[in-house]
């Protein structure tokens, strides 16, 4: 296990990508920092993380075996790896499509996967992961953040949780390599936030109620409305309300 600790960095994703361009790194290499100053979230947001309190890391993968049109399977691997790590400490963890991890109705972790392609094949993927562990106050305008300490009232050893996280992700990734996609997809769907029942969504200024049907390998969210109309949405085209 190749873990590269950095005291302070703007973005672990950027640092790991730059390093991978300069030298040959083994698959599963992880860059971790106690102080990420410009962490990136989804939709161009900044990921808030108090120095020394949380896990902010990036892991390098070479998923050349994966067909580009099935790219979302990689997100499922990372999402499940994060969930399974947190499951050991608290109940009620779910994966919010496409790349967040929730405790109840609050965000405890975020994932940002950046891919580089050569033709129709993956050159590399860098998965950035931020998990709120010991932070007690959040100052940004991020919606409803929560940390493991806020949930349980306990302090945690971030280094040991990081090791568990890497092991869980690489286990799921190796299973994907071996072709065990059916089990991965089932487990991911079972882990989804608001998996059952009808909930409010917003798309194209329309607010509607729908239940979640599935997430396809291309990352589209498939919903069924109260009128039994089937709809599918790409990331950024629909919002949970």
């Amino acid at each position: 296990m190749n873990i590269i600790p950095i005291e302070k960095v703007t973005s672990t994703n950027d640092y790991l990508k730059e390093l991978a361009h300069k030298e040959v790194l083994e698959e599963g290499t992880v860059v971790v920092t106690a102080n990420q100053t410009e962490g990136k979230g989804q939709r161009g947001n900044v990921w808030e993380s108090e120095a020394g309190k949380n896990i902010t890391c990036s892991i390098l993968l070479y998923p050349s075996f994966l067909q580009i049109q099935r790219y979302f399977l990689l997100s499922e691997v990372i999402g499940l790896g994060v969930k399974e790590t947190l499951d050991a400490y608290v109940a009620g963890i779910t994966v919010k499509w496409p790349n967040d991890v929730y405790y109840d109705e609050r965000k405890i972790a975020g994932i940002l996967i950046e891919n580089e392609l050569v033709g129709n094949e993956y050159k590399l993927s860098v998965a950035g992961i931020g998990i709120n562990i010991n932070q007690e106050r959040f100052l940004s305008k991020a919606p409803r953040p929560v940390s493991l300490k806020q949930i349980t009232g306990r302090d945690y050893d971030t280094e040991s949780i990081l090791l568990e996280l890497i092991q869980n992700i690489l286990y799921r990734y190796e299973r994907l390599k071996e072709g065990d996609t059916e089990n991965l997809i089932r487990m991911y769907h079972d882990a989804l936030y608001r998996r059952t029942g009808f909930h409010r969504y917003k798309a194209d200024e329309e607010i509607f109620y729908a239940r979640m049907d599935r997430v396809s390998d291309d990352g589209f969210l498939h919903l069924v409305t109260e009128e039994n109309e089937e709809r599918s949405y790409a990331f950024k085209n629909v919002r949970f309300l």
Side-chain angles (χ1 to χ4, degrees), residues 164-182:
E164 294 165 11
L165 173 68
I166 298 169
Q167 291 168 353
N168 287 331
I169 289 174
L170 292 180
Y171 171 76
R172 288 285 158 215
Y173 181 69
E174 289 301 320
R175 297 298 299 273
L176 177 61
K177 272 187 176 180
E178 294 167 3
D180 187 19
T181 56
E182 185 175 335

Side-chain angles (χ1 to χ4, degrees), residues 9-11 33-42 44-57 100 106-112 129-147 150:
V9 70
T10 55
S11 161
T33 185
N35 188 1
Q36 181 173 244
T37 58
E38 297 177 22
K40 295 182 289 186
Q42 295 290 342
N45 294 327
V46 174
W47 179 260
E48 178 189 358
S49 182
E50 185 180 347
K53 296 289 187 178
N54 306 308
I55 290 175
T56 47
C57 68
D100 289 332
R106 304 179 71 182
K107 183 174 177 177
I108 191 169
I111 299 162
L112 179 65
I129 302 162
I131 306 179
N132 300 327
I133 303 294
N134 293 317
Q135 188 162 339
E136 297 182 79
R137 294 178 64 239
F138 292 89
L139 304 178
S140 74
K141 295 181 180 179
R144 302 187 304 278
V146 70
S147 71
Q150 287 177 321

Side-chain angles (χ1 to χ4, degrees), residues 98-122:
N99 282 321
D100 289 332
V101 178
Y102 266 46
Y103 166 77
D104 194 15
E105 293 289 325
R106 304 179 71 182
K107 183 174 177 177
I108 191 169
I111 299 162
L112 179 65
I113 301 176
E114 297 181 297
N115 302 308
E116 293 186 10
L117 306 176
V118 175
N120 292 321
E121 289 189 358
Y122 285 99

Side-chain angles (χ1 to χ4, degrees), residues 18 31 52 88 99 139 162 210 233 237:
E18 291 173 10
V31 167
N99 282 321
L139 304 178
L162 173 67
Y233 295 97
N237 290 341

